[in-house]
C-alpha cells in the first residue's frame, strides 16, 4: 500500500480532487493507493470535503478517508501566538490546518511511510516510482526535492538571522515530501518543538511561509529526490513562471506554488492545460 496524504481546508476542495485524480490516473496499480486527507475540526467543513470527494469518485479503484483531531496544545499555543490577538476557537482550528503537517501523526496514527502533496499540484507520473526512489530510514526519515531558494529568506529579517538561515544549506519546497511518521518521535518532534520555542522567544516574528521554514530547519539532512518530483514556483508572477518552465518530459509533479496565480482561477497560468486535464468539475456547495 502507498499512503498519500493531503491537508486542506474547504477553499481548496476542487484542486485537491484534481490532484487526487492525477495521482490515481497515472498510477499503474491505483488499487495500491490509500489517500488520507486531513480536514479541519469543523463539522460542516469536514462534511463538505467528505461529500465532495465521494461525489467526485463514486466508484474509486483506490481507498480514501478523511480525518481530523483538535490541534495539539503546542500547535494551538503557537498559532495563537502567531495570530497575535484574541480570536475564537474556530479561527484557531482553521489556522492550525496550515501547520497540520507538524501533527499528522496525531491525525493518522496508523500511517508509517507516506507521500505528502499540497493541493495545488498535478502528478504526471506513477507515484510508485517516487515511493521507490525515497530511500528513507530512521536515521534519515525525510525526503524532498531541492528548489531554488536561499535559506535566510525564510526569516522575516534575513540579514539579522543570516547565520541561522545558512544552516538551511539545501532548501526544499515542502509542498511535496516523503517521510516515515514512525521515526518522528526519535528526534524530529523535539527539533520542531525547539524551533517553535525559538520563534516564541522572538515574539513569533522569526518566520514567514507557515511551516516550510520549520520543516527546513528540522530536516536539514534530508534525502534529496530528483527535481522532477516537485517542479514548483508556477504560482509566481508570469515572468518568474516563464523562467522556471521545463519540458513536460522533465516534470513528474507540477506545483503552482509561490503566489496566488492558480490554474483553476486563471487559464493563462503556466501549464494550466495540464491542470484542467484532471479537473473533476465544481464541487457541491
Amino acid at each position: 500500500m502507498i499512503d498519500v496524504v493531503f491537508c486542506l481546508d474547504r477553499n481548496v476542495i476542487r484542486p485537491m480532487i484534481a490532484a487526487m485524480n492525477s495521482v490515481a490516473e497515472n498510477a499503474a496499480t491505483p488499487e495500491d493507493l490509500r489517500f488520507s486527507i486531513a480536514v479541519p475540526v469543523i463539522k460542516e467543513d469536514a462534511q463538505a470535503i467528505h461529500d465532495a470527494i465521494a461525489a467526485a469518485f463514486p466508484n474509486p479503484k483506490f481507498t480514501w478517508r478523511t480525518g481530523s483531531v483538535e490541534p495539539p496544545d503546542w500547535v494551538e499555543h503557537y498559532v495563537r501566538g502567531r495570530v497575535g490577538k484574541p480570536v475564537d476557537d474556530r479561527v484557531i482550528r482553521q489556522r492550525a490546518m496550515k501547520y497540520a503537517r507538524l501533527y499528522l501523526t496525531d491525525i493518522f496514527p496508523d500511517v508509517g511511510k507516506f507521500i505528502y502533496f499540497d493541493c495545488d499540484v498535478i502528478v504526471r507520473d506513477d507515484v510508485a516510482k517516487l515511493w521507490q526512489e525515497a530511500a528513507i530510514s530512521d536515521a534519515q526519515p525525510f525526503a524532498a526535492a531541492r528548489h531554488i531558494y536561499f535559506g535566510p529568506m525564510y526569516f522575516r529579517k534575513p540579514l539579522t538571522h543570516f547565520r541561522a538561515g545558512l544552516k538551511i544549506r539545501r532548501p526544499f519546497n515542502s509542498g511535496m515530501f516523503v517521510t516515515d511518521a514512525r521515526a518522528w518521535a526519535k528526534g524530529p518532534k523535539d527539533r520542531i518543538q525547539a524551533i517553535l520555542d525559538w520563534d516564541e522567544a522572538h515574539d513569533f516574528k522569526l518566520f514567514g511561509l507557515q511551516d516550510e521554514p520549520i520543516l527546513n530547519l528540522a530536516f536539514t539532512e534530508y534525502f534529496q529526490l530528483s527535481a522532477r518530483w516537485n517542479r514548483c514556483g508556477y504560482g509566481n508572477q508570469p515572468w518568474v513562471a516563464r523562467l522556471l518552465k521545463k519540458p513536460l518530459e522533465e516534470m513528474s509533479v507540477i506545483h503552482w506554488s509561490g503566489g496566488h496565480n492558480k490554474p483553476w482561477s486563471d487559464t493563462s497560468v503556466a501549464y494550466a492545460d495540464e491542470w484542467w486535464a484532471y479537473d473533476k468539475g465544481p464541487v457541491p456547495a
Side-chain angles (χ1 to χ4, degrees):
M1 180 172 62
I2 297 176
D3 274 309
V4 179
V5 175
F6 290 95
C7 301
L8 74 156
D9 60 34
R10 195 169 180 171
N11 296 323
V12 287
I13 304 175
R14 184 172 180 176
M16 192 277 300
I17 288 172
M20 281 181 66
N21 191 32
S22 71
V23 174
E25 286 291 319
N26 289 299
T29 54
E31 60 272 16
D32 291 340
L33 298 173
R34 178 174 68 169
F35 292 99
S36 297
I37 301 149
V39 299
V41 188
I42 301 170
K43 185 175 181 180
E44 57 269 31
D45 287 8
Q47 190 64 52
I49 293 167
H50 185 279
D51 291 349
I53 298 169
F57 303 104
N59 297 293
K61 295 180 180 179
F62 51 83
T63 59
W64 66 274
R65 59 184 175 164
T66 59
S68 62
V69 297
E70 291 284 350
D73 291 344
W74 56 277
V75 171
E76 180 178 338
H77 175 74
Y78 185 69
V79 172
R80 287 189 185 278
R82 293 276 290 181
V83 172
K85 59 184 178 181
V87 293
D88 63 32
D89 289 345
R90 184 185 179 91
V91 172
I92 293 301
R93 290 166 178 165
Q94 290 173 330
R95 296 287 183 93
M97 291 307 299
K98 297 182 182 296
Y99 298 89
R101 289 179 290 196
L102 303 182
Y103 61 97
L104 283 172
T105 52
D106 295 343
I107 302 173
F108 301 112
D110 61 333
V111 169
K113 180 180 178 181
F114 67 88
I115 301 169
Y116 170 84
F117 288 118
D118 272 355
C119 295
D120 55 349
V121 308
I122 287 298
V123 181
R124 304 181 64 254
D125 209 340
D126 188 351
V127 292
K129 298 177 184 177
L130 172 58
W131 190 260
Q132 186 68 31
E133 183 178 330
I136 56 178
S137 63
D138 281 356
Q140 195 176 41
F142 195 92
R146 187 175 180 178
H147 79 138
I148 301 171
Y149 210 68
F150 186 42
M153 297 305 294
Y154 282 123
F155 291 80
R156 289 182 176 176
K157 295 182 178 180
L159 294 178
T160 302
H161 298 99
F162 192 80
R163 286 182 179 273
L166 288 180
K167 293 179 181 178
I168 305 174
R169 297 178 293 104
R170 300 178 299 158
F172 59 83
N173 175 282
S174 59
M176 186 288 300
F177 60 79
V178 185
T179 191
D180 192 328
R182 294 166 295 194
W184 280 45
K186 301 174 183 178
K189 274 196 170 181
D190 289 341
R191 293 199 297 272
I192 289 169
Q193 186 63 67
I195 293 163
L196 301 187
D197 292 344
W198 181 35
D199 195 6
E200 181 177 4
H202 288 78
D203 297 322
F204 302 98
K205 296 177 181 177
L206 280 180
F207 311 122
L209 297 178
Q210 283 86 47
D211 60 0
E212 184 164 310
I214 297 166
L215 290 171
N216 267 271
L217 285 164
F219 296 104
T220 55
E221 302 300 324
Y222 65 92
F223 179 88
Q224 188 168 323
L225 296 164
S226 304
R228 68 180 304 111
W229 289 111
N230 194 1
R231 294 295 189 185
C232 58
Y234 299 110
N236 279 298
Q237 294 297 323
W239 68 270
V240 177
R242 282 195 296 272
L243 289 175
L244 295 172
K245 289 189 79 171
K246 297 287 182 183
L248 282 174
E249 59 268 21
E250 297 179 16
M251 307 176 80
S252 293
V253 174
I254 304 176
H255 185 189
W256 288 272
S257 64
H260 299 289
N261 298 309
K262 306 298 184 182
W264 54 88
S265 56
D266 183 353
T267 56
S268 69
V269 170
Y271 303 111
D273 54 337
E274 291 293 314
W275 186 89
W276 283 98
Y278 297 102
D279 177 45
K280 299 282 281 185
V283 300

